[in-house]
Amino acid sequence: MVTANPSAPRLAPGPRGTFLLGSLLDLRRDLIGFLGQVSAEYGDIVRFTVAGFTVHLITHPDHLRHVLQVNSKNYDKQSHEYRPLKLAFGAGLFTNDGDSWLRQRRLMQPAFHRQRILKLGEFIVADVVERIARWESYAERGESLDVAAEMVNLSMNVATKSLFSTGLRGDGEVTAIARSLDTVINYCLYRTMVPFAPPPKVPTRRNREFTTAMAELDGIIYRIMGERRAQDEQPYDLLSMLLEARDEDTGEGMSDRQVRDEIATLLLGGYETTSNQLSWAWYELSRNPEIEARLHEELDRVLGDRLPTVADVPQLEYTNRVLEETLRLYPVPWLERRAAGADTLGGYHVKAGSLIYISPYLTHRHPDFWEDPERFDPDRFTPERSADRPRFAYFPFGGGPRLCIGNRLAQLEAQLTLATIAQRYRLRMVPGHPVEPKMQVTTSPRYGLRMTLEPRRPSA
Ligand code: HEM
C-alpha cells in the first residue's frame, strides 16, 4: 500500500486536464468560463497545467494581497501572457519588470500627480461638450448611434491630450491609433493562446496585419516625437517629461525606443479601459431606470444647468458609485504573474516558475464578499456597506507597487464625462441589439452599443 508522505508539500486541488496540453483547450474555448467553473468547484486556490506550465488561479482577497502587495517582489511579469505583449509594447511600464520598471515608474509618476490630473478636468468637459454637439441632430431624428465607438473617440482624445498636449491630426489619426492598437492586441492574444505560432517574421496573413498595424502606430508616435524635438518651447506634458528625463547616475536620457514603448503603453492603457467603463455604465443605466433616476436627481441637485467641474466631483457621490459598480461587473478580466521563487499560498506549495492567474472578474463576484453578485447595485459602495470589505475584494486598478498609474486620470475622466452627458441625454438601447461582453485585455461590448438619445434639458 502506498501512503502519503507527510513531509511532501501540499498541492492545491484542481482539474487534471489532458496529457501534455493540460487545460489549454478549455482555456482557449472560454477562458473566464473555465476559470469560473474551476474556482466554483475547487475553491479559492486552484492548480492546473497549461501546455506544461503549472498555473495557480487565486480569487481570495487575502491571497491577492499576498501576491500583489506583501510578497510582490517574488511575483514578476516574466509570464506567458505578457511575453507576446512585449512584441508590441516592448519595455513599456505595463510589460517591464525589475530595476528597469522601477526606474521608469519613478520617472513617470510625477506626470500623474493629482494636481496635474485635476488641471485636465476643464479640458475633459470642454471636449465632451464639443464632441457630443453632433448628437443633437441624432436625437432630433431619433436616429441611433454606436455609443461604444463614441466613447472610444472621447477617451482616445483625452489620452492623447494628456500625453501630447496638442492632440492628433484630426479624428483620422484617432481612429488609426484605435484600429492599429486593436489589431496589435488581438495579435498578441492570439500568440498567448497559440504558443507555437510561426515567428512574427514569417509572412503569414496575421503576421502581415500585425506588421502593418505596428508601422501605422509607430509612424504616428515617431512623427509626434520628431516634431516635439524640433520645437524650441516644450509644453509641460507627459511626452516632454519622457523626452527630458535623465538617469540620476548616468545622466543618460531615454532611448527613442523606450519613449515609444511608454507612449504606446499609455495610449493603450489610457483609452480602452476608460471607454469600456463608460460604455457599460450607459448600458446598465439604460436597463435600470430607478438607478438612472437617482443619478439624474443628483446631477440636477448639484449642478443644475451648469457644466461640471473638478470641484463638483466630491459631491457627485452617486455618480461615482455608479462608476465603481460598473468596474466591479466589467473589469479587466484577468492578470498574470510568475512566481520567481517558491512560495506558500493559503497553505499550499507554489513552486518556482508557476504562473499565477488573477481574475478581477471572478473576485468581484466572489460570493463571500458580494451578495447577489450579478445585480447592478451602486449602493454596495456606500461607506457603510464598504466598511468591512477587504481591500482586494475590489481591485479594478490592480494593487501594490504595480497599481494602475492612470487610475486618477481614469476616474476623473469617467466622472466628468458621465455627468456632462447624463445632464443632457437619457440613452436607450435599440431593441434587439445584441449585447455581449468580449473579454480580452479589457471587457468591451462585442457588437458595440446601438443606442438612441432622449434629450433631458436644453444643451449648454
Ligand atoms: C477604467 C480605467 C482603467 C482601468 C480599469 C485600468 C486597470 C489597470 C490594471 C488592473 C492595472 C494593473 C495591471 C497588473 O497589475 O498587471 C493597470 C496598470 C496600468 N495602467 Fe491602467 N487602467 C485604467 C486606466 C488607465 C489610464 C487612463 C492609463 C494611462 C493614461 C493607464 C495606464 C496604465 C499603466 C501604464 C499600467 C502599468 C503600471 C505599472 O505596472 O507600473 N491605465 N491598469
Side-chain angles (χ1 to χ4, degrees):
M1 196 175 82
V2 180
T3 50
N5 173 1
S7 63
R10 214 155 65 96
L11 298 180
R16 289 177 63 105
T18 57
F19 179 62
L20 289 178
L21 294 181
S23 299
L24 178 70
L25 297 180
D26 293 320
L27 277 178
R28 275 178 66 177
R29 209 170 296 125
D30 176 7
L31 188 130
I32 290 295
F34 171 72
L35 298 183
Q37 181 213 317
V38 294
S39 75
E41 193 174 339
Y42 296 100
D44 288 330
I45 304 188
V46 186
R47 181 180 179 277
F48 51 92
T49 62
V50 177
F53 292 101
T54 300
V55 178
H56 287 86
L57 166 68
I58 58 169
T59 45
H60 194 282
D62 291 351
H63 305 146
L64 291 162
R65 197 168 69 88
H66 180 84
V67 169
L68 293 175
Q69 194 164 29
V70 178
N71 199 19
S72 63
K73 280 213 166 79
N74 188 47
Y75 293 95
D76 60 29
K77 289 196 168 186
Q78 303 297 316
S79 76
H80 187 60
E81 181 198 358
Y82 292 120
R83 213 166 297 132
L85 285 171
K86 284 184 187 160
L87 287 172
F89 303 101
L93 213 51
F94 187 79
T95 35
N96 206 344
D97 246 331
D99 290 347
S100 163
W101 165 79
L102 188 61
R103 176 178 167 271
Q104 291 297 118
R105 175 96 192 196
R106 284 196 179 136
L107 235 126
M108 288 163 67
Q109 195 70 54
F112 292 90
H113 190 272
R114 192 163 171 274
Q115 292 312 320
R116 279 186 57 94
I117 298 301
L118 290 182
K119 279 201 189 131
L120 284 170
E122 219 171 287
F123 156 75
I124 292 171
V125 174
D127 192 58
V128 173
V129 171
E130 189 189 317
R131 277 172 184 268
I132 63 168
R134 69 187 188 91
W135 284 18
E136 229 169 272
S137 61
Y138 281 83
E140 273 166 19
R141 295 195 302 269
E143 205 177 308
S144 68
L145 42 71
D146 181 357
V147 168
E150 296 289 313
M151 295 303 113
V152 166
N153 265 324
L154 277 176
S155 306
M156 181 60 91
N157 219 43
V158 172
T160 53
K161 175 81 180 177
S162 49
L163 279 169
F164 310 131
S165 304
T166 45
L168 297 164
R169 285 184 184 156
D171 284 354
E173 270 192 354
V174 172
T175 316
I177 291 194
R179 187 182 50 223
S180 46
L181 281 173
D182 196 49
T183 308
V184 161
I185 281 294
N186 279 324
Y187 178 82
C188 295
L189 288 174
Y190 151 77
R191 292 201 75 91
T192 305
M193 290 296 173
V194 185
F196 306 112
K201 286 217 167 93
V202 178
T204 60
R205 182 185 54 81
R206 270 183 210 272
N207 284 348
R208 282 201 308 270
E209 278 172 11
F210 171 70
T211 312
T212 308
M214 284 287 280
E216 187 167 44
L217 185 63
D218 286 357
I220 298 172
I221 295 176
Y222 282 120
R223 174 190 55 80
I224 293 172
M225 280 165 63
E227 283 175 8
R228 183 62 66 84
R229 283 217 159 101
Q231 250 169 277
D232 291 335
E233 288 242 334
Q234 299 289 314
Y236 185 55
D237 63 7
L238 187 58
L239 178 59
S240 300
M241 294 178 93
L242 295 177
L243 291 173
E244 285 161 20
R246 292 287 173 270
D247 187 289
E248 276 177 21
D249 300 327
T250 64
E252 266 181 46
M254 269 189 228
S255 67
D256 274 8
R257 174 71 205 188
Q258 182 69 37
V259 176
R260 177 263 165 222
D261 287 348
E262 297 300 3
I263 289 175
T265 300
L266 293 171
L267 281 174
L268 178 74
Y271 93 95
E272 218 193 314
T273 42
T274 319
S275 62
N276 285 333
Q277 182 188 14
L278 284 162
S279 295
W280 290 118
W282 297 124
Y283 172 66
E284 287 295 346
L285 288 170
S286 77
R287 299 195 323 151
N288 293 284
E290 284 153 36
I291 293 172
E292 185 189 51
R294 281 182 66 189
L295 173 77
H296 290 157
E297 183 281 318
E298 177 175 270
L299 296 175
D300 294 349
R301 179 168 40 80
V302 175
L303 304 172
D305 273 343
R306 70 178 172 78
L307 289 170
T309 67
V310 290
D312 296 312
V313 168
Q315 277 82 59
L316 298 176
E317 289 174 6
Y318 194 70
T319 311
N320 199 38
R321 293 210 287 275
V322 166
L323 289 165
E324 285 182 296
E325 176 68 342
T326 305
L327 271 189
R328 182 184 70 82
L329 282 177
Y330 304 96
V332 170
W334 101 108
L335 305 168
E336 204 177 290
R337 292 290 190 274
R338 182 198 64 150
D343 199 4
T344 303
L345 255 181
Y348 294 116
H349 176 71
V350 172
K351 72 171 182 184
S354 303
L355 299 179
I356 308 292
Y357 280 10
I358 292 168
S359 172
Y361 179 92
L362 293 178
T363 302
H364 288 183
R365 287 165 167 76
H366 196 302
D368 291 357
F369 305 99
W370 305 99
E371 203 188 307
D372 195 2
E374 292 299 336
R375 194 157 69 87
F376 187 76
D377 173 13
D379 284 337
R380 295 177 198 276
F381 290 95
T382 57
E384 305 78 57
R385 285 177 65 187
S386 309
D388 294 332
R389 198 173 292 139
R391 157 70 181 90
F392 281 94
Y394 181 69
F395 63 120
F397 295 103
R402 303 210 63 154
L403 179 76
C404 172
I405 201 168
N407 80 84
R408 278 209 192 98
L409 173 60
Q411 289 176 72
L412 184 72
E413 182 185 344
Q415 286 154 343
L416 292 176
T417 307
L418 195 79
T420 308
I421 296 178
Q423 252 187 329
R424 285 159 183 72
Y425 293 106
R426 192 174 277 116
L427 276 57
R428 288 287 169 265
M429 285 305 298
V430 167
H433 180 83
V435 179
E436 193 188 295
K438 177 174 153 198
M439 292 193 225
Q440 292 193 323
V441 176
T442 61
T443 306
S444 60
R446 185 182 293 278
Y447 307 106
L449 289 178
R450 277 264 143 222
M451 301 184 95
T452 48
L453 312 162
E454 293 169 13
R456 285 194 60 233
R457 55 181 64 239
S459 42

